[in-house]
Amino acid sequence: LTFTRAGSDATYEITNADGSIILPRTTPNTAIGVIATLAFTDVERLANPISEPVSSGEIKTDDGLTLTFNIFESGGASWMQVNASYNDRDRNNGPAGILGGAPENGEAEAQSIHDRVNGWRFRLEDSAASLLNRPSADYLPEVASTEETPTDAPEKPDTSS
């Protein structure tokens, strides 16, 4: 799923890979709000995860920066590990072109973030973990099961007698 918006004042929408809009059951602004105001309750040095992630995602900005995160469960808590990367081709992909305030050297910014977070894990508040660990299906509209019987299918013979 991709959370997108047309500009900084627009509401987020969830889109498919082809860009078509999906109507969500849970507002994407809630998930983005949690990410934007993320607070950690603890931090520990841990270079390599000790289990598989229970959730993962990435945040791509319109100035080429991508933050990738994985969430792990350990000791009854949810922990996040983060990595940053930069792609110059994505620098002006947004609807507004290059954003005001975008770093002049996006590669250096991504490296700076990477240097600060690499080898650390960050404990999430329970409410943030609950929202970020939701399955993708929670953000999609419910689709009624519609098994259609083909109209040109031959009738089955009655074998009840």
Side-chain angles (χ1 to χ4, degrees):
L1 299 176
T2 302
F3 293 75
T4 60
R5 65 180 175 172
S8 61
D9 295 335
T11 300
Y12 281 94
E13 298 171 325
I14 298 177
T15 59
N16 283 313
D18 66 2
S20 60
I21 296 172
I22 301 169
L23 298 174
R25 285 192 312 222
T26 302
T27 174
N29 286 325
T30 304
I32 297 298
V34 165
I35 292 169
T37 60
L38 203 54
F40 303 112
T41 60
D42 198 1
V43 62
E44 292 181 351
R45 177 143 300 287
L46 182 68
N48 296 317
I50 54 178
S51 64
E52 290 296 312
V54 295
S55 183
S56 60
E58 64 180 27
I59 302 162
K60 288 186 169 195
T61 66
D62 287 340
D63 60 2
L65 182 67
T66 298
L67 299 174
T68 305
F69 63 87
N70 290 307
I71 300 174
F72 302 88
E73 296 294 328
S74 175
S78 295
W79 297 83
M80 178 183 277
Q81 286 189 303
V82 180
N83 194 12
S85 61
Y86 175 75
N87 185 332
D88 194 52
R89 291 186 310 261
D90 293 337
R91 182 168 170 79
N92 59 357
N93 273 350
I98 296 177
L99 300 175
E104 291 299 318
N105 187 339
E107 192 169 342
E109 170 146 351
Q111 186 63 49
S112 173
I113 293 169
H114 174 79
D115 291 346
R116 288 180 291 186
V117 300
N118 187 41
W120 294 92
R121 69 178 187 169
F122 305 90
R123 185 175 178 171
L124 295 170
E125 293 177 329
D126 290 342
S127 59
S130 173
L131 184 68
L132 295 175
N133 284 333
R134 285 184 179 173
S136 298
D138 282 1
Y139 294 97
L140 301 174
E142 289 188 48
V143 178
S145 175
T146 56
E147 286 189 25
E148 295 183 26
T149 305
T151 55
D152 59 350
E155 286 188 32
K156 292 183 180 178
D158 184 8
T159 59
S160 58
S161 50

